[in-house]
Amino acid sequence: MAHVLVIGASKGIGLETVKAALAAGHRVRAFARSAADIAVSDPGLERFSGDALKAGDVAASLDGIDVVVQALGVPASKLLGPVSLFSEATNLLVPAMERAGIRRIVAVTGFGTGDSRAAIGLLQRVPFRLVFGRAYDDKDAQEMRIRRSTLDWTFVRPGVLTPGTATGRYKVLSEPKSWRNGLIARADVAHFIVGEIDRPAHVKRAVVLVG
């Protein structure tokens, strides 16, 4: 079993990944500024209160870790302003992982990031840019920094996220010609991530996930 660091563990895909990784028998260090409030009870869980934009916190969180899951998010209220969280946090995390000798990272970005942007339908492109443009420009920088590293990375690009329990019935689109948007439960994204921890099948590849 792996010792997994989940960055952005207090909500969304990060929290679902914490739950799924614990259920799979992994030890989990849940990194978030509000880690103390994570309402999960498990002997394999360690809550780590820290700031992903503070180098000291990031370095300390990596002690003894085998795999890093980067699942950062920004509130919807901040999407229309400048966004730099993803790139700034990654610029700290990548060299810290390289110094610590930790190679494996699973980074959650999103459909529309990097080379998947070309797969966005014509009718969706204008509203996508208006609402998500700044955030996804920063996610582009996030992915590029990881690509330039020595790490064994996987980019997880989910479609439109929904609540609900994991179904296990989702599509992993690994070929660019198959990429498309669609709905997927956050819990199913977490299910895929834990599968990549158990049996890495998409190292140095990007995948789009849809239901």
Side-chain angles (χ1 to χ4, degrees), residues 168-174 180 183-184 192 207-211:
R169 299 187 300 275
Y170 56 89
K171 296 177 177 63
V172 181
L173 308 179
S174 57
R180 60 177 176 80
L183 303 177
I184 185 165
F192 172 82
V207 300
V208 171
L209 302 182
V210 295

Side-chain angles (χ1 to χ4, degrees), residues 52-53 70 72-75 78-92 94 107-110 112-114 117 128-129 131-148 155 157:
L53 299 180
Q70 190 186 39
L72 295 167
V74 296
K78 295 186 177 181
L79 288 176
L80 298 181
V83 177
S84 61
L85 170 66
F86 305 107
S87 60
E88 289 184 14
T90 302
N91 287 338
L92 292 177
V94 167
V108 181
T109 56
T113 305
R117 185 168 298 182
F128 180 89
R129 288 299 304 169
V131 178
F132 300 110
R134 293 175 179 86
Y136 273 69
D137 287 346
D138 197 47
K139 287 174 182 279
D140 288 348
Q142 173 190 11
E143 287 194 356
M144 286 189 288
R145 179 63 184 91
I146 295 172
R147 284 183 187 272
R148 293 196 304 267
F155 296 146
R157 297 167 169 173

